[in-house]
Amino acid sequence: MPVPPHDTLDSMAWVVGTAGILLALMFLRLPYDASKDAFHDSTKAKSFAIALALLGIYLLINGLLIIIIWPFGNIGGGVYDVLYGGSSAIGGLLLLGVAFSIYLNIGLRAISYFAFVAGLYAFNDVFAILANRLSRTPELTAFAYLMFGLTGILSVPLTHLNSKAVRWAFIIVALIFGITWLFMASTFTIGHLQAPVK
């Protein structure tokens, strides 16, 4: 497949992986009280909010660029602008929502519903990736999207129940989500930096 004129897929994957790791670390290091829908230390939480906002801005901008540019490029649009552009734009909006909710200390419950729907969107991507054999490594890509989806789904019980089991399930899934995307990012970068074929 020809490379599109604007291709930041590798850096987007690095950002997605970083977001997963940050979410896992945030809930690992900062006590969160679901009954109050708040972190115990809002000052420390704000530092995570700033980092998540920066990642969200990057994903939103690049996701929108893919949605706008790729359909007019020589790759044919359609499948990959939806798979990568749509997911990136939705993920960017979600990270911005999480960041603003944390920074303004207004709770995460409302944004967890958006995360749940984003998780359902990711599950649709998993089905499409496997059914249509999208990407060079469809099983790995589907697993990465599955972990994103599960992180979104788990955000609802995480923000509504004071349960160590739910908290640890979220942390572990978010960590696997982040590590998987960072591994894929590495392969994307190596692939994109290969010498062009003459």
Side-chain angles (χ1 to χ4, degrees):
M1 172 183 356
V3 175
H6 171 81
D7 188 0
T8 59
L9 185 57
D10 64 324
S11 59
M12 287 169 52
W14 285 102
V15 169
V16 171
T18 302
I21 300 292
L22 279 178
L23 288 170
L25 287 174
M26 182 172 67
F27 282 97
L28 177 66
R29 303 214 27 180
L30 300 178
Y32 176 80
D33 187 347
S35 65
K36 296 179 182 175
D37 193 17
F39 287 100
H40 292 288
D41 188 342
S42 61
T43 304
K44 285 183 182 176
K46 284 182 179 182
S47 66
F48 280 96
I50 292 168
L52 291 171
L54 292 172
L55 299 174
I57 289 168
Y58 184 84
L59 288 176
L60 178 60
I61 290 170
N62 280 287
L64 292 174
L65 282 172
I66 287 174
I67 291 168
I68 294 166
I69 293 172
W70 282 17
F72 302 105
N74 57 359
I75 66 165
V79 174
Y80 290 102
D81 62 317
V82 171
L83 183 62
Y84 298 122
S87 298
S88 179
I90 288 172
L93 280 174
L94 180 57
L95 286 174
L96 285 170
V98 170
F100 283 120
S101 295
I102 293 169
Y103 195 83
L104 298 173
N105 200 22
I106 56 175
L108 292 171
R109 284 189 189 143
I111 200 71
S112 75
Y113 304 130
F114 178 28
F116 185 90
V117 174
L120 295 178
Y121 181 90
F123 289 162
N124 280 291
D125 286 342
V126 169
F127 174 77
I129 291 164
L130 293 174
N132 301 311
R133 309 301 295 163
L134 301 176
S135 86
R136 290 183 182 156
T137 55
E139 289 78 14
L140 178 61
T141 305
F143 182 74
Y145 275 81
L146 178 66
M147 290 298 101
F148 166 60
L150 286 175
T151 302
I153 298 295
L154 284 171
S155 69
V156 173
L158 175 72
T159 58
H160 288 74
L161 304 171
N162 274 329
S163 165
K164 283 186 178 183
V166 170
R167 181 170 169 252
W168 277 106
F170 179 89
I171 291 167
I172 290 166
V173 169
L175 192 60
I176 293 169
F177 154 53
I179 291 168
T180 304
W181 276 94
L182 289 176
F183 174 77
M184 287 188 4
S186 175
T187 64
F188 292 162
T189 300
I190 291 167
H192 286 184
L193 293 177
Q194 290 178 356
V197 178
K198 292 184 182 185

